[in-house]
Amino acid sequence: MDQKTASPNKDAVPQTDAYMGLCNSLTYRFEGWRHLVENLISFFKQLESLSKSTSKEYLKLSKIITHPSKDVNIFDEHGVQDVFAALRDQTAAISTDNEQLSIQLPGAIIKVLELLRDDLKEHCKKINADGTKGVKGVEKQRSESQKLLVQLDRALLPWGGDNPAAVNVKNDPFIVDRLVLNSLARQVAEENNHVHSVAQIQELSFRFEQNTISKIKDIIRQFEILMNQTFTKSINHVREILQVSEAQTLTGEWSSYAKREPDFIKGSVTPRIYSELPYPGKNKSPTVPIVAGYLIRKTTIMKKKQRGFYAFTRSGYLYEFKSSDPQVDPEPEFALYIPDSLIGRPSDKKAKFKITGKDATNKVFGSRSDYSFRASSQVELMKWWEALNTYISGYHQPAFTQENTHPPVEAVSESDDDDDDEFQPAPEARKNTVRNTPTAASRISPQETRPQTHSSVPSYDNSQAPPANDFVFQSDLNGHNAWNL
């Protein structure tokens, strides 16, 4: 068939019935085919019974065929229904029969039609079962995506005002956005699987209808042979039936059906890609990290090293993920709220620095710990260190308590870590780091996140290390706590 590619719905969560209308239409269509076959079965069974009777009984037989079909608007007026009209008219002209015909009819025709009827019944069940199952899966996943989109919209509301937004891990727009992408990925996979399944059902139905018409044509041929053997005088009438049957093409009925059915899938449907779907809140400032890339974290107590994808967001959280792909890893494994943490000065020789704070994802233990972070290079390290301290410089420090009046955190000593060879970022990691690293023009400033109370830290090009004497913290680089004190 000459078909065009159907265009998919562009909405993130489409308001459609996921081709349920097409599945219902196909079920209704093949129920009509089953009715036609049952009509034929009734015809030949009655013919078997009436083969021993008189021409008057054959006149009754001609009235069994229903024309036009009782399944309105399924078949063309002059398509397959012409075969049944010919059966009705030509059977009325047959006035004789014999015992041989009554013996041959059950095995040659009726049994074939009963098998075809059973196949049509099973095919209708398959269309209904596969279509309903797929629709339920799609609608369930769309419902989850819609809930997360509402949650993202609520999470973005506080960012529209002038006051800083107070967030936690659960209502951080960055995290909610990742959950939205994760849900959309599962939704699109369900949608693509379902539309593929519906397209397969449609193609299978096309083949099935060809087979049905082919078997009806074969039955008519067989009927012609039997009638030729039994009724010499009636052979011309039977040949009229054959001519009408042979005039039908295997694709004629289906082509007409495709033109009438508004939900017919014409060609292949382009699969949807979740990352390209538009939705409210996508690429809004709170959902884009200030800086992101791969780091190695090590605790000073357990001495456990863990390499992960890190993102520092405008809400002040430093998140750790196993992967940069939200479809694989939507929620953080580790999080530090930087305004409540102590940042040490970076090492002079190795690309690492220390942060003391509480893991915001830990629901059981709430104690503070020292975490050593290592980057792939000194330039990469200073990019992270500058971003964290620049954010702190624009954040209103809380009143001093026993908890936040600790002395400045020292730089990571050379004994706190092993050799530099441990940091070997994979090509994907290096690519993600470069892609997610903000330029000097695009880096967030204190005015974008918090009211400024101190002078901001100057930015520098990522390809060069910062000048030692021009940096705002000078040569000692004691960290934001020394700055605050």
Side-chain angles (χ1 to χ4, degrees), residues 322 351 474:
K322 291 182 179 179
Q474 300 303 329

Side-chain angles (χ1 to χ4, degrees), residues 209-344:
E209 184 164 302
Q210 285 182 298
N211 181 65
T212 301
I213 298 175
S214 178
K215 286 186 177 182
I216 292 175
K217 290 161 68 73
D218 291 340
I219 288 170
I220 297 300
R221 295 188 188 101
Q222 185 64 29
F223 179 57
E224 189 271 341
I225 294 173
L226 294 176
M227 295 299 293
N228 186 46
Q229 295 173 351
T230 308
F231 307 108
T232 303
K233 294 181 181 181
S234 304
I235 191 64
N236 292 332
H237 300 294
V238 178
R239 285 177 178 172
E240 289 293 330
I241 299 174
L242 177 62
Q243 290 177 3
V244 175
S245 175
E246 292 298 324
Q248 306 304 314
T249 64
L250 298 180
T251 60
E253 285 285 344
W254 186 265
S255 298
S256 298
Y257 165 62
K259 293 178 181 178
R260 296 193 305 268
E261 176 53 52
D263 292 333
F264 196 85
I265 300 176
K266 296 179 173 58
S268 60
V269 178
T270 304
R272 306 211 303 163
I273 303 174
Y274 80 95
S275 59
E276 298 178 359
L277 297 177
Y279 56 88
K282 183 176 183 180
N283 295 328
K284 290 297 181 67
S285 179
T287 68
V288 180
I290 299 173
V291 61
Y294 282 85
L295 296 173
I296 291 179
R297 172 172 63 88
K298 185 180 78 171
T299 60
T300 57
I301 299 177
M302 303 299 294
K303 303 296 182 181
K304 179 182 178 182
K305 297 180 181 179
Q306 183 168 326
R307 181 176 178 273
F309 178 77
Y310 283 80
F312 179 48
T313 70
R314 286 166 170 77
S315 58
Y317 280 96
L318 177 64
Y319 294 109
E320 175 191 306
F321 303 90
K322 291 182 179 179
S323 169
S324 61
D325 189 354
Q327 181 179 359
V328 177
D329 186 32
E331 300 191 40
E333 299 289 325
F334 172 82
L336 286 176
Y337 188 50
I338 296 304
D340 291 343
S341 302
L342 306 176
I343 304 176

Side-chain angles (χ1 to χ4, degrees), residues 351-403:
K352 54 187 177 180
F353 67 96
K354 186 181 297 184
I355 297 178
T356 300
K358 297 179 182 180
D359 181 3
T361 64
N362 195 324
K363 304 298 186 302
V364 180
F365 303 102
S367 60
R368 301 171 71 90
S369 299
D370 294 335
Y371 302 95
S372 176
F373 293 88
R374 163 172 273 183
S376 59
S377 65
Q378 193 69 26
V379 173
E380 181 74 9
L381 173 77
M382 294 308 298
K383 177 192 69 176
W384 283 91
W385 196 87
E386 178 192 8
L388 296 175
N389 281 279
T390 300
Y391 186 92
I392 291 297
S393 69
Y395 185 84
H396 285 298
Q397 295 296 324
F400 281 93
T401 63
Q402 185 177 358
E403 179 179 281

Side-chain angles (χ1 to χ4, degrees), residues 40-41 44-45 47-48 100-116 214-227 229-230:
L40 280 176
I41 292 174
F44 285 109
K45 281 186 175 181
L47 178 60
E48 176 191 4
Q100 184 180 5
L101 179 60
S102 65
I103 296 174
Q104 292 175 326
L105 280 174
I109 294 180
I110 295 177
K111 185 177 181 179
V112 176
L113 286 173
E114 288 176 339
L115 292 175
L116 179 59
S214 178
K215 286 186 177 182
I216 292 175
K217 290 161 68 73
D218 291 340
I219 288 170
I220 297 300
R221 295 188 188 101
Q222 185 64 29
F223 179 57
E224 189 271 341
I225 294 173
L226 294 176
M227 295 299 293
Q229 295 173 351
T230 308

